[in-house]
Amino acid sequence: MPRPEGAEVLTGKTLHARLSGQILSFAPPEAAEMPGVVFFAALQPNGIARMSATADGKPSRFFDSSQNWQVRGQTLCIFDGETPKDNDCKRIDWITGNQVQVTDIRRSGRKDIIRGTLTPL
């Protein structure tokens, strides 16, 4: 997908500053199999990501956890433990306004392009 006019490609400290204190919300790549599901990652400035989801607008009790988050280059890593594994990191392709595009490269090699929204905590 082409990058929208004015969209920024951010990396490192600049990307971290842009994501910190934001809630990243997105429909999963499997949205066709899980209609009405939206995931949320509340990226707190202290490096904790509060993860949650809704199904048809109602909180889902199946996906509610706290994990760590950090930026590595152009990737956002959300993970358990002290260091992320490769599959914990997703590339942030661009950000424009409150819109963001993320690329998730699966272990199988499949690339999922995900559009999401950023809102302040």
Side-chain angles (χ1 to χ4, degrees):
M1 286 182 228
R3 181 169 27 135
E5 186 175 327
E8 297 179 284
V9 177
L10 305 175
T11 61
K13 290 180 182 180
T14 306
L15 179 57
H16 185 276
R18 179 65 179 92
L19 295 175
S20 184
Q22 299 288 313
I23 299 170
L24 171 60
S25 59
F26 59 93
E30 300 84 10
E33 299 162 21
M34 301 185 316
V37 173
V38 177
F39 289 106
F40 301 90
L43 305 172
Q44 300 174 22
N46 65 359
I48 301 296
R50 182 79 179 141
M51 307 300 293
S52 61
T54 59
D56 295 323
K58 298 175 185 163
S60 171
R61 61 188 164 98
F62 298 109
F63 191 76
D64 188 13
S65 67
S66 288
Q67 298 181 10
N68 297 312
W69 77 276
Q70 64 181 233
V71 168
R72 291 185 168 188
Q74 193 180 341
T75 62
L76 168 63
C77 304
I78 299 177
F79 57 98
D80 289 318
E82 293 190 25
T83 57
K85 299 174 186 74
D86 287 342
N87 60 329
D88 293 330
C89 301
K90 315 303 182 227
R91 185 179 69 221
I92 304 297
D93 299 321
W94 50 258
I95 297 175
T96 183
N98 70 340
Q99 300 298 303
V100 60
Q101 180 174 293
V102 178
T103 296
D104 181 7
I105 301 174
R106 302 293 181 114
R107 286 184 182 150
S108 66
R110 184 180 92 198
K111 288 184 182 181
D112 290 325
I113 306 297
I114 304 162
R115 294 270 177 109
T117 303
L118 294 171
T119 54
L121 283 173

